[in-house]
Amino acid sequence: MGMAAGQARLLSITKRLGDNELKAQSITQAKIRLSEANMVAGDEYVRALNKSQLKYSTYDAQGNVSYQKLTAANLTQYGPLKNQYVIVNSAGQAMVSEKESANYQNSDSLEEFLQNYDEDEKSWYTNLWYRMNGDSDDKSSASQQSWTVLSDADLNSSKWIQYALENGIVTLELAQRSNSEDSNAPVDTIEWKAVAYTSALDIVQDTDDTDLAKAEAKYNLALQEIQAQDKQYDSQLKKLDTEHSALESEYDSIKTTVEKNVERSFKAFS
């Protein structure tokens, strides 16, 4: 190989080595991005594992328990064998349904209010009247309203109540029999006491199996795609490494040949 051809070949190999190294760097960066994608997929799966669905438990006359997604409706609306709760906003107002609001506003007294309900419900709605109205059986003229309306949409939304409770937007109060030591107090006196939703025996936290299954399937698919792409990158890097070694060997060989040719040329003219 002549010196000119050798020099040209060295330049060509140098360019190819540079291209080779650039490709290797690009693939290495892509592998790093794959690692980050793997972490993101893992984080999403962990969040799904940690995410729980609030459920409300009820018992029938035989003591059998059943569970349903927690809503403001099943938590606060009348039912036999149920504890009575009210949802309270940040202003301390009891949040009542649109129907309960209308019944209260159209009543001038507890007696009128209870006419909207059957005999089994009267004790429950008597408690609610006093929470909304204060101690009087007659409609209160308090300057600050102690209740507000909860829309039917939010009343029946499991997402709304879970978000509101978990983020401290609302709290709960439970109707409990009074422990007053006053001998003149009625036996059935009820007090509304604040209770943390995490301590309420009727509310349980349960993993949503459907969402968990979807999250697991999504994670496994992402992992398979990441692993498959990673193997392709490894194969490409191995091929580039082999090519790089071959180019370096060829470069060294040609360089040696060119140097010897230069050396012989100088000897010939000396």
Side-chain angles (χ1 to χ4, degrees):
M1 178 183 292
M3 285 191 292
Q7 290 291 348
R9 182 57 180 161
L10 287 177
L11 290 173
S12 174
I13 293 175
T14 300
K15 182 178 182 305
R16 289 180 61 188
L17 285 169
D19 292 343
N20 189 293
E21 291 170 357
L22 186 61
K23 289 178 182 178
Q25 289 177 3
S26 177
I27 293 173
T28 300
Q29 290 297 321
K31 283 176 66 67
I32 293 174
R33 289 193 293 273
L34 275 183
S35 178
E36 293 171 348
N38 192 16
M39 292 177 62
V40 170
D43 288 344
E44 289 179 354
Y45 185 43
V46 169
R47 283 197 295 273
L49 288 174
N50 293 334
K51 184 179 179 181
S52 59
Q53 170 71 54
L54 293 181
K55 292 189 175 181
Y56 182 71
S57 60
T58 54
Y59 292 85
D60 61 22
Q62 288 71 45
N64 300 312
V65 63
S66 61
Y67 299 95
Q68 53 189 309
K69 286 185 178 181
L70 180 69
T71 64
N74 58 34
L75 183 63
T76 63
Q77 302 301 286
Y78 170 78
L81 306 178
K82 285 178 62 175
N83 288 320
Q84 185 176 5
Y85 293 92
V86 292
I87 298 167
V88 182
N89 65 15
S90 59
Q93 297 172 311
M95 306 183 75
V96 302
S97 70
E98 295 177 7
K99 179 180 178 181
E100 290 164 343
S101 169
N103 289 342
Y104 178 81
Q105 292 184 80
N106 294 327
S107 303
D108 291 325
S109 66
L110 171 60
E111 183 179 1
E112 287 186 24
F113 182 63
L114 294 180
Q115 289 175 6
N116 297 289
Y117 306 101
D118 63 39
E119 196 63 34
D120 292 336
E121 299 173 314
K122 286 186 176 180
S123 176
W124 181 286
Y125 285 101
T126 296
N127 298 338
L128 184 61
W129 169 273
Y130 289 132
R131 179 59 180 83
M132 296 173 68
N133 187 70
D135 296 334
S136 176
D137 288 357
D138 295 320
K139 177 69 73 67
S140 171
S141 58
S143 58
Q144 184 174 0
Q145 186 169 291
S146 61
W147 60 275
T148 189
V149 179
L150 180 64
S151 70
D152 286 345
D154 288 340
L155 186 73
N156 295 289
S157 169
S158 60
K159 290 184 178 179
W160 180 85
I161 187 63
Q162 178 153 342
Y163 180 84
L165 286 171
E166 290 180 342
N167 290 278
I169 298 171
V170 299
T171 55
L172 299 179
E173 289 182 8
L174 173 65
Q176 295 180 318
R177 292 192 179 277
S178 173
N179 293 322
S180 173
E181 296 180 359
D182 183 359
S183 59
N184 295 320
V187 176
D188 60 350
T189 299
I190 293 295
E191 293 181 340
W192 287 98
K193 294 188 176 180
V195 59
Y197 80 93
T198 52
S199 301
L201 299 179
D202 316 81
I203 300 174
V204 296
Q205 298 191 33
D206 188 29
T207 302
D208 191 313
D209 293 337
T210 301
D211 288 346
L212 183 58
K214 290 179 180 178
E216 185 175 8
K218 181 179 178 181
Y219 173 70
N220 288 334
L221 178 60
L223 194 61
Q224 290 173 6
E225 292 176 347
I226 289 170
Q227 290 174 340
Q229 186 63 64
D230 195 48
K231 287 181 179 179
Q232 289 185 16
Y233 287 151
D234 286 338
S235 177
Q236 292 173 13
L237 283 174
K238 185 176 180 180
K239 182 179 179 181
L240 286 171
D241 186 59
T242 300
E243 183 180 351
H244 196 82
S245 297
L247 287 170
E248 286 182 327
S249 296
E250 184 180 359
Y251 182 91
D252 291 340
S253 175
I254 295 173
K255 183 179 178 183
T256 299
T257 300
V258 170
E259 287 174 347
K260 287 182 179 179
N261 287 338
V262 171
E263 185 179 348
R264 282 196 296 268
S265 296
F266 275 112
K267 287 181 180 179
F269 289 101
S270 63

